Amino acid sequence: MSKKTYRPYEPNQLLLLPPALQDWLPHDHFAYFLSDVVDSLDLSQIEQTYERELRGYPPYHPRMMVKVLLYAYCNGVYSSRKIERRLQEDVAFRVLAANNQPDFRTISDFRKRHLKALSDLFLQVVKICKKAGLVRLGHVALDGTKIKANASKHKAMSDSRMVEEEQRLKAEIAELLQKAEQADQAEDHRFGPHRRGDELPEELRFRERRLAKIQEAKAALEAEARLRAGADEHEPPEEPGPKGPKGGRRRKRPKAEPAPTAQRNFTDPDSRIMKGSDKQFIQGYNAQAVVDADTQIVVAAAVTNQAADAPHLIPMMEQVETNVDEMPEEVSADAGYFSEQNVQWLLQRRINPYIPPEKQRHSERRRAKSPRGPIPKGATLRDRMRRKLQLKRHAERYRKREQSIEPVFGQIKEARGFRQFHLRGLEAVNGEWLLVCLCHNLLKLYAFSQAA
């Protein structure tokens, strides 16, 4: 017998008193912080859908479902089946759910049904961050990242390929019809022109004919009874004629011919083939974000299926103004966002832009010497921006972009493993991206509260 004394360990010991959920986690755990934040949010848009329907079995409380879903996204758990497993095995999930255990189908349906309302919570959290002093708008950074769609790029086909495939299938169908015709001729020679070769025996066919006659007579009697009772028989609707609503001939619409290289994915038609950061082509979307450079809080976010970044600068900056009711003092973005129209738009709104006209390596920027002398009189807007970013003080301001927005994408894609959308369709993935950015802001807000 061992003389060593150990702490009590009785796996089968029953609890004498009911456990308190608050004792299961440290008082400063992120789950409690998230619960308090969600309790302060306006969830009426979600709750109204249940208030209007009083029938059926009572549903899970919407506030509990929101807490579980947000906590899962904050911890890089996006699959509804994995969330269900966490509700059984993870203490923090069980605390947030108060030991409720909705199954994966309930979780998935809740996310799909209320995705718009869930994405609208992003704005509420941004406003909370602003009240906490985390949205300063001295300098914001804009960037985009390519994220895989919930579809394979091998399920995409170009218009020219569709035309080739259509011709091939038509040729195969014609060949099969020709073989079928040859088989019919051979069977006619073998069984006779009016026999299939698999007919039923004569006695069975006689009984079937008799049954059919009985059913036909019965149907006729029922129809007569309905007529006597005054019930009108339903007639098949008339097919529309070639004329328009006023009797005139309908004009043929001009046929729009798609580009031969235009592609469409059969699994997620809204997604597009795009080049990712690793230079590999993916079937995906372009996820945009505007980040406060001082705090890494996402103040605006959206998803587009357009690979180019430049068309998104103005809409994203307008979204910043909508979300926080003011414009930033400075904005930095990489060369993909440069256009004279974008720079002119920012200058007109008294926003100091830091957008290089062309892509430049980090080593080239370090070796570049600051220009001297006045700016040439005939310098274009592109020349002025290039010269501006060669000055040391402005180059340092531009470097805030890679120190703020790139770490945010790194935390989302690497730390929390969000590398692929789980929903399909542009509207759905936009809602999911807002949900991801919302959770990023919650984690930043929690870190700020812990440091205060």
Side-chain angles (χ1 to χ4, degrees):
M1 183 176 180
S2 174
K3 297 181 180 181
K4 181 66 177 178
T5 302
Y6 297 97
R7 298 185 185 187
Y9 173 64
E10 299 291 341
N12 298 322
Q13 176 67 49
L14 300 178
L15 297 175
L16 299 179
L17 295 173
L21 297 181
Q22 291 74 15
D23 297 336
W24 288 5
L25 294 172
H27 70 280
D28 59 348
H29 195 275
F30 174 66
Y32 293 134
F33 173 83
L34 182 143
S35 179
D36 293 338
V37 172
V38 174
D39 285 338
S40 68
L41 299 179
D42 179 13
L43 302 185
S44 58
Q45 190 175 351
I46 299 176
E47 293 170 345
Q48 286 174 1
T49 60
Y50 298 99
E51 297 293 338
R52 288 193 293 265
E53 179 55 77
L54 302 179
R55 298 172 299 176
Y57 195 76
Y60 288 103
H61 200 290
R63 206 164 290 272
M64 181 273 291
M65 296 292 292
V66 170
K67 292 177 182 180
V68 169
L69 197 57
L70 292 184
Y71 187 77
Y73 269 69
C74 287
N75 286 273
V77 183
Y78 309 108
S79 165
S80 55
R81 286 176 170 82
K82 291 182 179 179
I83 295 175
E84 179 188 2
R85 193 176 306 122
R86 290 294 188 93
L87 286 167
Q88 299 170 355
E89 302 173 354
D90 192 296
V91 172
F93 276 87
R94 297 188 66 175
V95 168
L96 285 173
N99 264 339
N100 286 289
Q101 295 183 0
D103 60 17
F104 74 90
R105 184 55 58 198
T106 302
I107 297 169
S108 177
D109 290 344
F110 181 87
R111 176 170 54 185
K112 291 178 182 177
R113 183 181 183 185
H114 305 293
L115 185 62
K116 177 63 170 62
L118 289 169
S119 59
D120 288 344
L121 299 181
F122 169 79
L123 180 57
Q124 295 189 44
V125 173
V126 168
K127 292 183 176 180
I128 293 175
C129 292
K130 185 179 180 180
K131 289 181 179 179
L134 295 181
V135 178
R136 301 164 188 172
L137 296 185
H139 186 112
V140 300
L142 167 64
D143 203 356
T145 182
K146 306 302 189 294
I147 298 180
K148 289 182 63 178
N150 188 4
S152 170
K153 65 180 179 181
H154 301 295
K155 293 295 182 180
M157 187 178 294
S158 65
D159 181 71
S160 58
R161 173 75 185 282
M162 290 182 188
V163 173
E164 295 176 0
E165 191 70 9
E166 182 182 16
Q167 298 300 325
R168 185 185 67 82
L169 290 173
K170 285 182 177 179
E172 287 186 0
I173 292 172
E175 183 180 356
L176 289 173
L177 290 175
Q178 183 179 4
K179 290 182 178 179
E181 180 66 22
Q182 293 174 353
D184 287 344
Q185 293 176 0
E187 289 176 354
D188 286 346
H189 180 74
R190 180 179 178 184
F191 301 112
H194 302 295
R195 293 177 62 86
R196 297 192 310 271
D198 60 346
E199 288 84 359
L200 293 172
E202 186 65 24
E203 61 272 18
L204 290 180
R205 289 192 285 116
F206 175 74
R207 290 189 178 94
E208 287 183 353
R209 286 200 302 270
R210 186 172 62 183
L211 179 60
K213 287 289 184 181
I214 293 174
Q215 292 174 342
E216 183 180 351
K218 185 179 178 182
L221 290 174
E222 291 174 352
E224 291 176 0
R226 286 197 300 271
L227 286 174
R228 285 195 299 267
D232 296 330
E233 295 184 25
H234 295 287
E235 295 181 358
E238 295 181 0
E239 295 184 1
K243 295 185 178 181
K246 296 183 179 180
R249 296 285 180 179
R250 290 175 179 163
R251 290 180 298 175
K252 293 184 178 180
R253 295 181 180 178
K255 186 176 180 181
E257 294 291 342
T261 56
Q263 291 191 341
R264 186 173 180 85
N265 190 279
F266 300 124
T267 306
D268 186 354
D270 289 342
S271 63
R272 298 290 184 270
I273 296 289
M274 299 182 181
K275 184 183 289 186
S277 57
D278 56 356
K279 308 302 180 184
Q280 299 294 322
F281 287 96
I282 63 171
Q283 187 76 36
Y285 290 93
N286 187 356
Q288 299 282 315
V290 181
V291 171
D292 191 298
D294 295 324
T295 59
Q296 295 185 1
I297 293 293
V298 180
V299 294
V303 173
T304 173
N305 55 10
Q306 190 174 1
D309 287 328
H312 306 126
L313 184 142
I314 295 176
M316 293 304 298
M317 298 309 298
E318 290 175 339
Q319 189 184 135
V320 172
E321 185 177 22
T322 300
N323 291 349
V324 295
D325 300 324
E326 58 181 304
M327 280 291 196
E329 298 175 6
E330 302 174 348
V331 59
S332 60
D334 63 24
Y337 291 89
F338 181 86
S339 73
E340 294 195 0
Q341 178 186 1
N342 286 342
V343 175
Q344 195 66 41
W345 186 89
L346 293 170
L347 292 174
Q348 289 175 355
R349 284 152 184 79
R350 297 182 180 180
I351 302 173
N352 195 356
Y354 295 94
I355 310 174
E358 55 274 320
K359 192 172 182 180
Q360 194 175 22
R361 297 180 182 273
H362 297 286
S363 57
E364 293 176 354
R365 288 204 302 267
R366 287 196 299 268
R367 291 195 302 266
K369 295 182 180 180
S370 298
R372 295 182 179 181
I375 300 177
K377 292 182 178 180
T380 63
L381 199 58
R382 178 182 293 268
D383 296 332
R384 290 174 179 272
M385 182 60 67
R386 186 184 300 110
R387 183 184 177 91
K388 174 183 177 179
L389 292 178
Q390 289 173 350
L391 296 174
K392 185 176 180 180
R393 67 179 186 276
H394 293 304
E396 290 177 354
R397 301 301 296 169
Y398 175 71
R399 277 196 289 270
K400 290 181 71 68
R401 183 196 68 83
E402 59 193 47
Q403 298 167 1
S404 55
I405 187 70
E406 292 182 5
V408 170
F409 289 153
Q411 292 161 23
I412 290 175
K413 301 177 79 171
E414 294 293 338
R416 292 188 284 280
F418 189 82
R419 291 187 162 276
Q420 178 175 338
F421 288 108
H422 298 78
L423 304 178
R424 292 170 180 166
L426 184 58
E427 183 178 357
V429 299
N430 185 73
E432 189 172 14
W433 178 241
L434 287 173
L435 195 59
V436 169
C437 294
L438 182 160
C439 291
H440 171 83
N441 288 347
L442 282 175
L443 290 167
K444 288 295 179 182
L445 187 61
Y446 172 70
F448 174 78
S449 67
Q450 294 296 102

